Amino acid sequence: MLMPHPAVLRTLVDEYTALMENGSAGNQAQARDLAYTLCVSTGTRDVRHALETARQWLEAAAATDAAPGPSSGRNEPHAYA
């Protein structure tokens, strides 16, 4: 399964969370769109599971970025698989 870039996933989670906190009726369509995108991005069918999965993936990505990798003596850019 393809995984979304962590920055994209973080934006989706943050935007959805902000909309849910506001609770404005005018934002319902945007909240539905974000929920759908989160579900598709995480391979889930329920936004609660999508948020849980997204947060797990974001934690894993942060841990991977923080962990020292093998040193080859060169400065190579980090690539997400």
Side-chain angles (χ1 to χ4, degrees):
M1 178 175 153
L2 293 175
M3 293 181 68
H5 190 279
V8 172
L9 199 53
R10 168 58 53 207
T11 299
L12 290 170
V13 170
D14 290 347
E15 288 181 8
Y16 182 80
T17 303
L19 282 176
M20 292 295 96
E21 288 172 357
N22 290 339
S24 171
N27 293 331
Q28 287 181 357
Q30 188 176 4
R32 277 193 308 270
D33 290 346
L34 285 167
Y36 174 80
T37 303
L38 277 164
C39 288
V40 169
S41 298
T42 58
T44 60
R45 297 178 137 232
D46 180 271
V47 71
R48 291 170 298 195
H49 295 140
L51 288 167
E52 180 181 327
T53 300
R55 289 181 177 124
Q56 289 173 355
W57 289 357
L58 289 168
E59 286 179 22
T64 300
D65 286 344
S71 177
S72 63
R74 297 178 294 194
N75 288 332
E76 297 180 275
H78 181 77
Y80 288 95

